Amino acid sequence: METIYLDHAATSPIHPEVVKVMMEVYEDNYGNPSSIHQTGRKARSSLDKARKLIAQYLCVSESELIFTSGGTESDNLAIIGYALANQKKGKHIITSSIEHHATLHACQELERKGFTVTYLPVDETGRVSLSDLKEALTAETILVTIMYGNNEVGTLQPINEISELLKDHQAKFHTDAVQACGVIPLFLNELAIDLVSISAHKLNGPKGVGLLYIKEGTVIQPGTFGGEQERKRRAGTENVAGVVGFAKAFEIAQKNMEIKNEQFKSFSRAFFDILERSGIDFLYNGNQNHQLPHIFNVSFPHVSVEAMLVNLDMEGISASSGSACTAGSIEPSHVLVAMFPDHKERYESAIRFSFGLNNTLKQVEEAAHKTVKVVKRLQKSQPFIV
């Protein structure tokens, strides 16, 4: 039985061309980029070329990019690093209630250090309100951190509007673009954003490497201490093979992005249509007008998420609840709880399907039909009341 992988939002398969360039580094370019001999200089050259390539696609200066171990470190370095370096200006942070845990837990750590954090609510589509943000801003606010696109339901935030709102305020703007990068264009020269987090493994690159864009003039406190790598902002020998693979994945992701996005949208429409024609109870979660094209999140009332995922897996379908799984128990998604606080049945029955490399329309349609079969087997007969 063929496995249909529909969990690309969790991690994506590494592209064969990325594997190829990384293997070349592992085999022939193993030097330390901080070494001054020719082997080290060769590694430094590869690192510099990768940084230059990514900077060109993001339309930023090479000096504004630092490589990290992934999205979590980038989020932590941006949020905690900026807050600690600039706390004399104020100790108030604003974020949203549906951020990735890398952001939420970083903010909670700042609260333990004496900072105040405002967690903005979202509407039923997962969007923050600009009026709520404006009301939350104070003279003490030094950082606003709102994700670009949500990793569970795919909702895009009003990033341009937020940046416009902050133009005359001291607060810097950070966005976690981990889920958005590689799926939608990111031209940072056109966005008034000060800090941006990106991860390679979400765009068919290797795990264990990411980057943080730090706009020129933005000061952060390092999170690690040691050597003077990454312009003294992130100590530690650079992951040259990972960075080279990251750059290649970034390059591939830019090609045919518009065509790829239309394909993902067609996948979502096909999945939705099959569910609708089946007559089963289901509810779409997200914002159809402001949406990452590769994420399709639906709730199946009266179906246990755990039973659903197990049965889908038995059918050869890899999907996700978008929830944290700890010690065998699946906790409700904090994102869905924030969107539907009064509808337990909805946030406890949500499944995320996410599309990517190697998926075909035939696969998606097969997955949808198998999902219907599983739901019909598990779903209770009583009607669902929203």
Side-chain angles (χ1 to χ4, degrees):
M1 179 174 59
E2 177 195 18
T3 297
I4 301 175
Y5 185 74
L6 299 180
D7 201 17
H8 294 263
T11 194
S12 61
I14 192 165
H15 195 285
E17 291 184 34
V18 174
V19 175
K20 182 180 178 181
V21 298
M22 290 181 68
M23 287 307 299
E24 290 173 357
V25 175
Y26 283 128
E27 292 174 353
D28 303 317
N29 195 1
Y30 44 80
N32 187 319
S34 295
S35 299
I36 62 173
H37 48 62
Q38 59 180 322
T39 307
R41 292 198 304 273
K42 184 181 177 182
R44 170 59 58 185
S45 177
S46 295
L47 192 67
D48 290 344
K49 287 178 182 177
R51 195 191 310 271
K52 182 178 181 179
L53 180 66
I54 296 175
Q56 288 174 341
Y57 280 119
L58 291 175
C59 300
V60 299
S61 168
E62 298 161 49
S63 63
E64 295 176 306
L65 300 183
I66 69 169
F67 292 113
T68 67
S69 63
T72 294
E73 184 187 351
S74 293
D75 284 343
N76 275 248
L77 184 56
I79 296 166
I80 297 177
Y82 184 80
L84 294 181
N86 295 274
Q87 56 186 310
K88 289 183 179 179
K89 299 177 183 178
K91 302 186 76 170
H92 180 230
I93 314 294
I94 298 175
T95 189
S96 84
S97 55
I98 63 163
E99 298 296 308
H100 189 277
H101 281 117
T103 291
L104 293 178
H105 291 169
C107 287
Q108 290 166 11
E109 176 62 21
L110 286 175
E111 287 182 295
R112 286 188 282 270
K113 294 180 182 295
F115 287 78
T116 301
V117 180
T118 297
Y119 298 89
L120 298 176
V122 295
D123 62 21
E124 288 196 349
T125 72
R127 295 257 289 183
V128 298
S129 162
L130 289 173
S131 59
D132 285 347
L133 174 57
K134 187 175 182 179
E135 186 178 341
L137 283 169
T138 74
E140 291 290 305
T141 308
I142 58 170
L143 181 67
V144 174
T145 174
I146 303 290
M147 70 195 325
Y148 206 110
N150 186 262
N151 54 300
E152 293 192 25
V153 297
T155 299
L156 291 166
Q157 297 299 338
I159 298 300
N160 287 329
E161 293 87 343
I162 293 172
S163 62
E164 284 293 320
L165 182 62
L166 296 176
K167 270 188 175 180
D168 297 323
H169 196 281
Q170 71 162 352
K172 297 295 185 180
F173 185 19
H174 165 252
T175 188
D176 177 337
V178 167
Q179 204 61 239
C181 185
V183 182
I184 59 175
L186 286 179
F187 303 119
L188 299 186
N189 62 324
E190 298 176 1
L191 300 171
I193 305 177
D194 305 287
L195 299 146
V196 180
S197 303
I198 297 173
S199 181
H201 79 103
K202 302 292 187 177
L203 45 91
N204 307 117
K207 296 176 180 65
V209 61
L211 67 80
L212 177 63
Y213 161 73
I214 306 174
K215 189 174 183 178
E216 192 70 36
T218 303
V219 179
I220 65 166
Q221 177 175 301
T224 55
F225 302 91
E228 298 186 355
Q229 294 88 352
E230 299 301 298
R231 295 177 182 267
K232 300 182 180 181
R233 295 172 296 188
R234 200 266 186 178
T237 302
E238 294 93 343
N239 177 2
V240 180
V243 169
V244 169
F246 189 3
K248 187 63 177 180
F250 213 105
E251 181 182 33
I252 294 169
Q254 309 310 306
K255 297 177 181 177
N256 303 316
M257 185 180 287
E258 188 174 338
I259 296 173
K260 182 172 63 177
N261 286 351
E262 286 303 315
Q263 182 185 46
F264 293 158
K265 290 175 184 177
S266 72
F267 290 171
S268 291
R269 287 193 296 268
F271 212 124
F272 185 94
D273 289 344
I274 290 170
L275 294 181
E276 192 169 48
R277 290 197 302 268
S278 73
I280 64 173
D281 286 338
F282 77 95
L283 294 161
Y284 173 80
N285 302 315
N287 187 309
Q288 293 181 332
N289 296 318
H290 306 282
Q291 183 74 17
L292 289 172
H294 68 301
I295 293 180
F296 181 68
N297 190 302
V298 285
S299 293
F300 299 103
H302 313 300
V303 172
S304 159
V305 167
E306 194 166 11
M308 184 75 182
L309 291 176
V310 169
N311 277 265
L312 286 175
D313 189 44
M314 291 172 65
E315 293 286 348
I317 301 168
S318 299
S320 168
S321 66
S323 308
C325 185
T326 306
S329 64
I330 298 179
E331 297 296 327
S333 158
H334 71 283
V335 174
L336 274 295
V337 170
M339 291 167 62
F340 308 105
D342 300 321
H343 301 297
K344 183 178 180 181
E345 187 68 41
R346 186 161 186 171
Y347 63 68
E348 288 191 343
S349 63
I351 301 291
R352 180 189 67 189
F353 301 93
S354 49
F355 316 118
L357 182 67
N358 299 325
N359 284 151
T360 64
L361 181 59
K362 181 181 178 181
Q363 281 185 331
V364 172
E365 289 176 337
E366 181 182 348
H369 285 299
K370 287 185 174 181
T371 298
V372 168
K373 183 175 70 173
V374 170
V375 172
K376 284 183 175 180
R377 189 163 65 238
L378 298 177
Q379 200 164 48
K380 298 177 183 178
S381 60
Q382 65 262 38
F384 176 56
I385 301 174
V386 181

